[in-house]
Amino acid sequence: MNHQIILAITLWAVALWRAPSLRHSRKQRAISLAFLSLAAAMTLEVPAVSTRIDSLTGVDSTGYLLKHMLGLVSAAAVLEFVIAVVRPRGFLQRSRRVLEAACLVLMATAFGLAPDDARVPDDIIVAHDSSGWALLHVAVFTLYIGSAMTVTAILFVHAARHAHDRWIRAGHSLLGLGGSIGILYALQRLVHLAHVAVGYATVADVQRAETVSTILKVAAIAAITTGSCLSPISIAATALRQRRALPRLNPLWRGLTDAVPSVVLPISAGQARTRLLLHRRLVEISDATLTLREYVPADLQHRAFDMAKNAGYPPRARSAVAEAAWLKTAALIATTSSPYKGEHPRSGSDGLSPAAELRWTCQVSAAYDRCRSVAAFARAEAARIQEQNRKQPV
């Protein structure tokens, strides 16, 4: 299986995966159209397909023309995607449309005016006399590709430098890299076409240039494809983490809300999305923590940490174990005790980012549910606090 077939299959897989997003935003429509047109263009690079197209139309090199026209449409769609991401308000919208249409018309016209036996200017083995019209056809295509990739590289490299999310930064960096490789591809092709035009190119030069341009083209497509896929992949990965986190929070949520049922929102979540359900769980756990901390003294948190240390938990797990221990203690005494007057424990989730808070709360929930030392500590401390409360004068 040659590289054309492998590349075409890969691009069709990405294009079909993204096809449903044609119904969505301008940005999603643009990148979906880019992959659909690019997949079709790369399919026309397969010799059997291009030969079949030529036989159906009865016009030599029709597949060659369609490949370039689809490639230009793909580059224009990539440029639309870039601008939709980096410059949502638009950038020379009408001028870009006019330029794209003009290039397509000029390419088709030049192709039609080129002699039948010289429409593929690189193929000097078949046609030794290169046509100026054929060269113009390819030059227009290459210049447009180079211009589009230049804008892509500049905008995405700039966007990557200012992106805070690591997935977005990586995606923008790869898209910028793909644009940069696309510039090299265009420059290499223009230099080669100049050699063909002045008659300096030999058969070896054509073969060598074809190898280099293929490598650059595949590298640019691979970088752009990977970069554009990182964002939806990161969204899917986040959704998967959220679905996995929701049942992991249940033990802690159930234990705390049983002790403080007033924090549970009265409106049923129903079939809400996982993200909303997860956010609701975290909010209710946080509210329950704020309520329960009022029932225990601050030194209970210190004793819980000492317990985690003495029980042999690794340093990075001790804080979560200690949190679970004092929360379980507070949950045991909340319904039979009065709020403690004095300093209270501080939640370990204070000041954390949303992602870090989720990881932390899952760790606390696991300790709350499964650690025997946490359960033993909570029972002992709850009994001790309740005994102290009985001995206090009314």
Side-chain angles (χ1 to χ4, degrees), residues 308-385:
K309 181 178 180 180
N310 295 332
Y313 290 100
R316 62 181 181 179
R318 290 171 190 169
S319 295
V321 172
E323 183 100 349
W326 73 257
L327 280 172
K328 201 174 192 75
T329 304
L332 289 174
I333 67 172
T335 56
T336 59
S337 301
S338 300
Y340 175 79
K341 296 179 180 180
E343 295 293 325
H344 306 106
R346 295 186 60 181
S347 174
S349 63
D350 292 347
L352 296 180
S353 66
E357 180 187 7
L358 178 59
R359 289 193 298 270
W360 161 262
T361 309
C362 286
Q363 292 173 357
V364 175
S365 183
Y368 192 98
D369 184 46
R370 296 195 293 267
C371 290
R372 294 181 179 180
S373 52
V374 167
F377 175 88
R379 286 194 299 268
E381 289 294 327
R384 185 182 63 80
I385 292 173

Side-chain angles (χ1 to χ4, degrees), residues 49-123:
V49 175
S50 59
T51 301
R52 181 62 176 167
I53 295 294
D54 292 350
S55 65
L56 288 174
T57 61
V59 179
D60 290 339
S61 304
T62 303
Y64 184 77
L65 169 65
L66 293 176
K67 179 188 74 172
H68 282 167
M69 296 185 77
L70 286 167
L72 190 145
V73 170
S74 178
V78 169
L79 187 57
E80 179 72 19
F81 170 72
V82 173
I83 293 171
V85 172
V86 181
R87 300 282 182 86
R89 295 183 180 179
F91 176 74
L92 300 176
Q93 294 289 103
R94 182 174 298 178
S95 300
R96 287 190 291 109
R97 299 285 187 277
V98 171
L99 178 61
E100 179 186 352
C103 288
L104 289 171
V105 171
L106 185 55
M107 285 170 58
T109 303
F111 177 84
L113 292 173
D116 291 350
D117 60 349
R119 282 175 169 164
V120 183
D122 280 4
D123 196 0

Side-chain angles (χ1 to χ4, degrees), residues 202-276:
T202 65
V203 173
D205 291 335
V206 171
Q207 293 173 344
R208 186 164 47 249
E210 184 66 25
T211 300
V212 173
S213 65
T214 297
I215 293 172
L216 291 174
K217 177 172 60 180
V218 171
I221 291 173
I224 291 174
T225 301
T226 305
S228 66
C229 290
L230 282 185
S231 179
I233 289 173
S234 69
I235 293 172
T238 299
L240 178 61
R241 285 196 300 270
Q242 290 175 344
R243 282 195 295 270
R244 293 175 60 185
L246 195 57
R248 293 170 61 189
L249 292 178
N250 278 340
L252 181 62
W253 174 81
R254 192 179 304 108
L256 301 189
T257 55
D258 283 348
V260 193
S262 59
V263 302
V264 178
L265 297 174
I267 302 175
S268 173
Q271 297 298 318
R273 290 178 295 177
T274 301
R275 182 177 61 84
L276 296 178

